[in-house]
Amino acid sequence: MSIVTPRTLPGFMQLLPKEQILFNEIKEKIQKSYERFGFLPIDTPVIELSEVLLAKAGGETEKQIYKFNKGDKELALRFDLTVPLAKYVTENYNNLTFPFRRYQIGKVYRGERAQKGRYREFYQCDIDIIGDGELSNINDAEIPSVIYNTFKELNFGKFTICINNRKILNGLFEYLQLTDKSSDILRIIDKIEKIGRNNVIAEMKDIAIDENKINKIMEFIAIEGTTEEKLQKLNNLNIISEKFQEGLKDLTEVVKYIKAFGVLEDYFKIDLTIARGLDYYTGTVYETFLDEYKELGSICSGGRYDDLAGYYTTKKLPGVGISIGLTRLFYQLNENKIIEASKKSIADAIIISMIDDYSYAANVATEFRKAGINTQLYTENKKIKAKFKYADKLEIPYVIIIGEDEISNNTITLKDMKKGEQREIKIEEAIKIIY
Amino acid sequence: MSIVTPRTLPGFMQLLPKEQILFNEIKEKIQKSYERFGFLPIDTPVIELSEVLLAKAGGETEKQIYKFNKGDKELALRFDLTVPLAKYVTENYNNLTFPFRRYQIGKVYRGERAQKGRYREFYQCDIDIIGDGELSNINDAEIPSVIYNTFKELNFGKFTICINNRKILNGLFEYLQLTDKSSDILRIIDKIEKIGRNNVIAEMKDIAIDENKINKIMEFIAIEGTTEEKLQKLNNLNIISEKFQEGLKDLTEVVKYIKAFGVLEDYFKIDLTIARGLDYYTGTVYETFLDEYKELGSICSGGRYDDLAGYYTTKKLPGVGISIGLTRLFYQLNENKIIEASKKSIADAIIISMIDDYSYAANVATEFRKAGINTQLYTENKKIKAKFKYADKLEIPYVIIIGEDEISNNTITLKDMKKGEQREIKIEEAIKIIY
C-alpha cells in the first residue's frame, strides 16, 4: 500500500487528549448553564440546501461559504447557528411553544483566510429566545443573567457585560440626520481609545459632518458615571426622537431587571458605543469582556432582533440571543494560560497487575466502575517501570497495584500518585478514598 | 424580501426539542459509560483533505463521499470515525501514550440513497484501543464489558453480545482450501435462519463445493451449547490449521476474562457465524442484539484489527474497538417506542407572575438557579390560562406562581403539575421539594 502523509487542514482545530478534556469541560459547563435557564436543546444538519441556507446571505459571508453539488442539488455547510434556527423555527412553527427558548452547540464552517487563532471550523454555543409576534423586554434582561452565570461557572476571571440599545444610537443619528453616515461614524467612534478624542473629531470632519453635530456626538459618547447617572444624562441630552426615547426606556427597564436577575453591579455596564456589526440587531445589544484580557475582544455577544426569519416567513418572529465562539475563545484562553482543567485525566484510577492472570484485576476494575470511578486497566506485558510511566504520563491520580499478596489477602495496594504514598487496603476502602 | 421555503434535506435527522432531549440523554449516557472505562476524548475535523481521507477507501464507500473543492484543495467530509482516528494517531504518534484509548462521538456523512431509517448525516459513538506494535487480548475481553455497561445504563431491554474470532473462520476456510470462496460461503451461511439448512447446503453445492467440505462447514455452524461446550466442540473438530487453533485459543482467553469483567453469562455468547463485512477485522469480532428486537440488527459492532493505519505509516498499530450508530439506532428505538426520556423538559420549574413587575419573580428565578434547579421564567403578558398552557405544553413538572400575596409574604405558590396540588410556601422549602 502506498503511504499518504496524514495531515490536518489549516484552520481546523484538533487537540491532544489533555486539551480536549479541558475543551469538553468548558463546553459542558456552557451547556449546563444554558440548561439551568431552561433553554431547550436542538440540533440541525451541518449540510443544508444552498438556496435555504443562503436565502439572506450575501457579500462577504457568501464568499466564505463551503458550497458544493451532490447529485442534482447545490448544498452548503452552515456558517452560523442563527440561519439554521430561523429555518428550524419556521419549519416546525406549529410544533413549537412560544416564547421558544433554545440552545444549540455545534460546529459551523467559514472558509476564512487562515491565520493564527482564526478557524474555518469552529464551535458556536448559542442561546436565543424567539417570540411569536412579540417578546417582552424581560427576556433582554435575563440574557445578561445567563452570561453572568455561565462565565462565573467558567471561572476565567472578572468580566464585564456591556449593554446598549441600538435604538438609542439609531435615534441619535436620525435626530442628527446622519443615518446614512451612521456606519462610518460608528467605525470612527470605535477607534477612540486608539487614536484619541481629537483625531475622532478630525475624522468626522473629514466625512463632512457639521461641527454642532460632532459636538452632540462627542457629548453623547462622553457620557460616564454609574448606570443611573448614564441613564439620567441620556435623558438630559434632550434628543427629540421617538426611537431614541424608546431605546432609553427599554434600556432603563432592562437595567432594572438585570439586577433582579442577580447580576452584580460590578459585572455589567452601559456602553453607549456598542453597536454590533450585524444589521439585524434592532434593540438591546451585548458584548462581554474579560477585565484582565480586554485585547481578546468580546467573548460573548448578541442582541435583540425584530425579525428572525423574514426570508422564510411573513410571520414576525422577534428574538434575543447571544453566542459564544468557543473554538477561538479556547485558543485564546489556552494561549494566555488562563485555563486549566479541573481533571487532567478521564480515569480516576488505573489498575496495574504484577501477575499474568488478569482475573482478579478485571474484577477489581469492575467493582471500581460499578462504584462510579472512571477506571482503566493496564493490559500490556511490560516492565513494571513502563507501567508506572504510563500512569504518570496520563496523569491518573491513583494507581492500584495487584500482586500475589493482594490476591490472597483480597485487597489492593493503593498508590496516591500526588503524595507518592502507597498502602495495602480493602477494595471498598479504596473506593471510598478515590470516589 | 422574497421568501424561500425552509426545508431540511432528506436523510438528515432534525428532531423536535422533546425528542432532542431524549437523544441527548442517550448520547450523554454513552459518553459517561465510555469515560467510566478511562477512554480519552478526541475531536477531529469534519472536513479533511480528500487525499488523506480517501487514502484507503475505494468502491462503494468512495461513491458515497461528500467531496468538493475549496480554493485549490480537494476536500471531503469524514464518512466514519476510524479513518480520522488513524490520521490522528499517526499525526500525533509522538505525543500519545500507548495503548491509546480514545472515544469519539460525532457526525459522519455518507451520501447513501435516502430511505426510511437511513441517514446521510449520522452520529457515530466509537471507542478504540490502539497498541504500539502489539496489544494484549485482555483488551478484546474488556470491550464486551464496555458494551455491557453501556447498554445496561441505556436500559433498552435485554441484549446479547455475540462474539467470534475471524481467525477461526479464516482458519477453517484455509483448512478446507476454500479461502477464495469464503465471502460467498459466509453470505450463504448468514441466510440459514431465513432459508433453512437444506437450502444452505444446496446453495453451497451451486458454487461447486465438495460434499465432504459442506459437511464440515455444516458441522461447524451447527455447534451449539454453552460457551464451554462450544469451545470444546471447536476443539473436537480437529481442524489442522495454525490460524484456526490460534483463533480458538484467543477466543477461549477472551471468554475467560469477559466473565471476570463482570458481564453476566446470559448477556454474551459465542456466535461462530459472525464475520463482520469489513475487511480489516482480523481477530475478535462483536455484534450486539436486543433480544426482543433482533430485527433491528446489530446495535453495536466492532472487532480487532491488526493494522489501523497502514495507509499512513509503516508502524504497526493493532487495535480493537466498537461503534454505535446512534442516529439510526435512535430512529429505530423511537419508532418501536422502546425509549422514553427520564425528563420530558429541561426546566424543572417555571415561574409565572400574576403581576407586571417582574423584580420578585426574577429574584426567585435566580434563587432557584443558584440552588441548581433548571428554571424558566414566563415573560409574556398573556392571560393566566395561556401561561399555564405554556407550562403544560413544555411538560415542566413544577409551576411557581407569584402574585401580590406571595410578594408581601415573601413566599411562592408551588403547583405540582402531576398531582395538581398547590400551596403557598417559603422559597427554601420549594427548593427542597423540587431539587
Side-chain angles (χ1 to χ4, degrees):
Chain A
M1 206 180 314
S2 74
I3 283 180
V4 173
T5 308
R7 55 208 192 275
T8 299
L9 284 159
F12 288 75
M13 181 180 272
Q14 187 180 269
L15 302 169
L16 285 170
K18 250 164 232 173
E19 294 169 312
Q20 191 69 54
I21 291 172
L22 177 54
F23 186 95
N24 290 5
E25 192 179 309
I26 294 172
K27 186 151 70 76
E28 276 163 33
K29 277 186 185 168
I30 294 171
Q31 185 188 339
K32 290 291 159 240
S33 175
Y34 288 174
E35 293 188 349
R36 184 70 76 235
F37 288 76
F39 288 88
L40 296 167
I42 73 164
D43 187 13
T44 64
V46 167
I47 307 176
E48 302 274 10
L49 279 169
S50 280
E51 186 202 343
V52 172
L53 201 62
L54 305 176
K56 182 195 164 197
E60 270 313 299
T61 313
E62 184 139 1
K63 269 185 240 158
Q64 296 178 351
I65 309 290
Y66 285 90
K67 271 195 289 193
F68 53 95
N69 292 293
K70 182 85 184 168
D72 56 351
K73 293 203 174 81
E74 194 182 289
L75 308 177
L77 304 189
R78 67 183 180 204
F79 54 92
D80 70 6
L81 300 177
T82 306
V83 177
L85 171 65
K87 189 204 74 163
Y88 186 94
V89 171
T90 40
E91 231 183 336
N92 296 305
Y93 176 81
N94 291 317
N95 293 309
L96 298 178
T97 314
F98 293 90
F100 176 56
R101 298 160 69 94
R102 84 86 178 79
Y103 75 84
Q104 185 170 5
I105 297 175
K107 286 176 170 182
V108 304
Y109 297 84
R110 291 187 199 170
E112 288 199 77
R113 186 187 298 268
Q115 48 178 307
K116 218 167 161 357
R118 280 278 170 200
Y119 291 93
R120 290 173 173 167
E121 174 184 71
F122 55 97
Y123 277 94
Q124 284 201 330
C125 310
D126 282 21
I127 52 168
D128 286 271
I129 308 169
I130 309 299
D132 185 10
E134 52 187 3
L135 185 70
S136 102
N137 248 327
I138 313 287
N139 295 286
D140 298 53
E142 196 181 23
I143 293 282
S145 167
V146 184
I147 301 175
Y148 179 75
N149 189 66
T150 305
F151 286 94
K152 274 289 203 184
E153 288 287 331
L154 288 172
N155 202 21
F156 299 153
K158 174 73 174 61
F159 56 91
T160 304
I161 306 164
C162 297
I163 299 165
N164 193 15
N165 192 303
R166 279 293 292 259
K167 288 179 198 161
I168 293 177
L169 278 173
N170 292 346
L172 175 72
F173 293 133
E174 243 178 62
Y175 170 71
L176 298 173
Q177 294 174 298
L178 287 172
T179 300
D180 54 331
K181 286 182 179 159
S182 60
S183 58
D184 286 331
I185 299 169
L186 286 171
R187 196 176 30 76
I188 295 168
I189 291 173
D190 203 41
K191 294 192 283 185
I192 194 158
E193 287 198 23
K194 262 195 214 153
I195 63 174
R197 227 182 115 77
N198 290 338
N199 285 316
V200 164
I201 293 171
E203 287 201 18
M204 281 203 272
K205 273 184 190 157
D206 288 348
I207 56 167
I209 300 178
D210 294 353
E211 207 172 317
N212 60 339
K213 291 184 182 179
I214 292 178
N215 289 342
K216 202 77 188 168
I217 293 169
M218 295 311 285
E219 192 185 342
F220 173 80
I221 63 171
I223 288 177
E224 277 304 333
T226 64
T227 298
E228 275 67 27
E229 284 163 4
K230 281 179 190 166
L231 292 170
Q232 192 54 54
K233 285 175 188 169
L234 281 171
N235 208 24
N236 297 347
L237 280 181
N238 281 320
I239 307 292
I240 302 146
S241 150
E242 212 175 296
K243 188 169 279 178
F244 183 95
Q245 296 305 333
E246 206 184 301
L248 182 52
K249 189 174 148 280
D250 285 354
L251 187 60
T252 306
E253 192 181 28
V254 167
V255 162
K256 169 185 161 187
Y257 285 123
I258 285 178
K259 293 180 206 163
F261 276 115
V263 181
L264 291 185
E265 208 139 346
D266 196 25
Y267 282 80
F268 78 95
K269 69 169 187 190
I270 293 175
D271 182 337
L272 296 171
T273 63
I274 288 178
R276 303 292 309 146
L278 292 164
D279 290 336
Y280 67 89
Y281 291 124
T282 51
T284 315
V285 282
Y286 316 97
E287 290 189 347
T288 312
F289 298 89
L290 292 179
D291 292 6
E292 306 285 320
Y293 299 90
K294 287 215 178 86
E295 65 276 17
L296 301 190
S298 175
I299 57 171
C300 178
S301 315
R304 154 78 72 146
Y305 39 88
D306 275 343
D307 196 11
L308 172 72
Y311 40 94
Y312 291 145
T313 177
T314 54
K315 290 204 173 68
K316 209 185 151 210
L317 300 168
V320 60
I322 46 161
S323 181
I324 300 172
L326 181 57
T327 302
R328 183 171 159 75
L329 178 60
F330 179 83
Y331 169 82
Q332 292 173 320
L333 296 171
N334 208 22
E335 283 286 298
N336 287 286
K337 300 195 173 20
I338 303 172
I339 41 172
E340 211 176 329
S342 65
K343 277 175 72 166
K344 301 264 181 189
S345 70
I346 290 293
D348 307 308
I350 183 166
I351 297 171
I352 290 180
S353 179
M354 314 297 259
I355 54 167
D356 289 342
D357 190 307
Y358 275 76
S359 303
Y360 186 78
N363 275 326
V364 174
T366 302
E367 288 308 310
F368 272 52
R369 286 163 183 162
K370 271 189 194 159
I373 295 169
N374 291 355
T375 308
Q376 189 175 341
L377 177 64
Y378 188 86
T379 53
E380 302 310 293
N381 184 18
K382 300 266 178 189
K383 295 223 170 83
I384 179 72
K385 209 177 150 182
K387 292 179 180 181
F388 271 97
K389 200 176 160 193
Y390 182 88
D392 207 44
K393 272 195 175 175
L394 289 183
E395 298 184 60
I396 301 172
Y398 291 99
V399 174
I400 282 81
I401 306 151
I402 285 166
E404 300 290 1
D405 286 355
E406 285 82 1
I407 294 174
S408 53
N409 300 339
N410 201 20
T411 57
I412 57 106
T413 291
L414 177 68
K415 180 169 182 178
D416 182 324
M417 293 296 274
K418 218 172 187 176
K419 297 185 188 158
E421 296 165 4
Q422 71 177 59
R423 58 196 176 112
E424 195 184 330
I425 52 177
K426 293 272 169 210
I427 295 170
E428 309 78 63
E429 206 184 322
I431 287 170
K432 268 187 213 147
I433 291 170
I434 300 170
Y435 193 74
Chain B
M1 207 181 315
S2 74
I3 282 179
V4 173
T5 308
R7 56 209 192 275
T8 299
L9 285 160
F12 288 75
M13 181 180 272
Q14 187 180 267
L15 302 169
L16 285 170
K18 251 164 231 173
E19 293 169 314
Q20 192 68 54
I21 291 172
L22 177 53
F23 186 95
N24 290 6
E25 192 179 308
I26 294 172
K27 185 152 71 76
E28 276 163 33
K29 277 186 185 170
I30 294 171
Q31 185 187 338
K32 289 292 160 240
S33 175
Y34 287 174
E35 293 188 348
R36 185 70 76 237
F37 287 77
F39 287 89
L40 296 167
I42 74 165
D43 187 12
T44 64
V46 167
I47 307 176
E48 302 274 9
L49 281 168
S50 280
E51 185 202 345
V52 172
L53 202 62
L54 305 176
K56 182 193 162 197
E60 269 314 299
T61 314
E62 184 138 0
K63 268 186 241 160
Q64 297 179 350
I65 309 290
Y66 285 90
K67 271 194 291 192
F68 53 96
N69 293 293
K70 183 86 184 169
D72 56 352
K73 292 203 175 81
E74 194 181 287
L75 308 176
L77 305 188
R78 66 182 181 206
F79 54 91
D80 70 6
L81 300 177
T82 306
V83 176
L85 171 64
K87 189 205 74 162
Y88 186 94
V89 171
T90 41
E91 233 183 335
N92 297 305
Y93 177 81
N94 291 316
N95 293 309
L96 299 178
T97 313
F98 294 91
F100 176 56
R101 297 160 71 94
R102 85 86 179 80
Y103 75 84
Q104 183 169 7
I105 297 175
K107 286 176 170 182
V108 303
Y109 297 84
R110 292 187 199 169
E112 288 198 78
R113 185 187 299 268
Q115 48 177 308
K116 218 167 160 2
R118 279 280 170 198
Y119 291 93
R120 290 173 174 167
E121 175 185 69
F122 56 97
Y123 277 93
Q124 284 200 329
C125 311
D126 282 21
I127 51 166
D128 287 271
I129 308 169
I130 310 299
D132 185 10
E134 51 186 5
L135 185 71
S136 101
N137 248 326
I138 312 289
N139 295 287
D140 298 52
E142 197 181 23
I143 293 284
S145 167
V146 184
I147 301 175
Y148 178 76
N149 189 66
T150 305
F151 285 94
K152 274 290 201 182
E153 288 289 331
L154 289 171
N155 202 21
F156 299 153
K158 174 72 175 63
F159 56 91
T160 304
I161 305 163
C162 298
I163 298 166
N164 194 14
N165 192 303
R166 279 293 291 260
K167 288 179 198 163
I168 292 176
L169 279 172
N170 292 345
L172 175 72
F173 292 134
E174 243 177 61
Y175 169 72
L176 297 173
Q177 293 175 296
L178 287 171
T179 301
D180 55 330
K181 285 182 180 160
S182 59
S183 59
D184 286 332
I185 299 169
L186 286 171
R187 195 176 31 74
I188 295 168
I189 290 172
D190 204 41
K191 294 192 282 186
I192 194 158
E193 286 198 25
K194 262 195 213 154
I195 64 173
R197 227 180 115 79
N198 289 338
N199 284 316
V200 163
I201 293 170
E203 287 201 17
M204 282 202 272
K205 273 184 188 157
D206 287 349
I207 56 167
I209 300 178
D210 294 354
E211 209 172 317
N212 61 337
K213 290 183 182 178
I214 292 178
N215 288 343
K216 202 78 187 171
I217 293 169
M218 295 311 286
E219 192 185 340
F220 173 80
I221 64 171
I223 287 177
E224 278 302 335
T226 64
T227 298
E228 274 67 28
E229 283 163 2
K230 281 179 189 165
L231 292 170
Q232 191 55 53
K233 285 176 188 170
L234 281 171
N235 209 24
N236 296 346
L237 280 181
N238 280 320
I239 308 292
I240 301 147
S241 150
E242 213 177 295
K243 188 170 276 176
F244 183 95
Q245 295 305 331
E246 207 185 302
L248 181 53
K249 189 174 148 278
D250 285 354
L251 187 60
T252 306
E253 192 182 28
V254 166
V255 162
K256 169 187 163 187
Y257 285 123
I258 285 178
K259 292 181 206 163
F261 276 115
V263 180
L264 291 185
E265 209 139 346
D266 197 26
Y267 282 79
F268 78 94
K269 70 169 187 190
I270 292 175
D271 183 337
L272 295 171
T273 62
I274 288 177
R276 302 293 309 146
L278 292 163
D279 289 337
Y280 67 88
Y281 290 125
T282 50
T284 314
V285 282
Y286 316 98
E287 290 190 344
T288 312
F289 298 88
L290 292 179
D291 292 7
E292 305 286 319
Y293 298 92
K294 286 213 179 91
E295 65 277 17
L296 302 189
S298 175
I299 57 172
C300 177
S301 315
R304 154 77 72 144
Y305 38 88
D306 275 344
D307 195 11
L308 172 71
Y311 39 93
Y312 291 145
T313 177
T314 53
K315 289 203 175 68
K316 210 185 150 209
L317 300 167
V320 60
I322 46 161
S323 180
I324 300 173
L326 182 56
T327 302
R328 182 171 160 76
L329 177 61
F330 179 83
Y331 169 83
Q332 291 173 320
L333 296 171
N334 208 23
E335 282 286 297
N336 286 285
K337 300 195 171 25
I338 303 172
I339 41 172
E340 211 176 328
S342 66
K343 278 176 71 167
K344 300 266 181 186
S345 70
I346 290 292
D348 307 308
I350 183 165
I351 296 170
I352 290 180
S353 179
M354 316 297 260
I355 55 168
D356 290 342
D357 190 307
Y358 275 75
S359 303
Y360 186 79
N363 276 326
V364 173
T366 303
E367 288 307 310
F368 273 51
R369 287 163 182 161
K370 272 188 193 161
I373 295 169
N374 292 354
T375 308
Q376 188 175 341
L377 178 65
Y378 187 86
T379 52
E380 302 311 293
N381 185 18
K382 300 266 178 187
K383 296 226 169 80
I384 179 72
K385 208 177 152 185
K387 291 179 180 183
F388 272 98
K389 200 175 160 195
Y390 182 88
D392 208 44
K393 271 194 176 174
L394 289 184
E395 298 185 60
I396 301 173
Y398 291 99
V399 174
I400 282 79
I401 306 152
I402 286 166
E404 300 288 2
D405 286 355
E406 285 83 0
I407 294 173
S408 54
N409 299 340
N410 202 21
T411 56
I412 57 106
T413 291
L414 177 69
K415 180 166 183 181
D416 182 324
M417 293 296 273
K418 218 172 187 175
K419 296 185 189 158
E421 297 165 4
Q422 70 177 61
R423 60 196 175 111
E424 195 184 331
I425 53 177
K426 293 271 170 213
I427 295 170
E428 309 78 61
E429 207 183 324
I431 287 171
K432 269 187 212 145
I433 291 170
I434 300 169
Y435 195 73

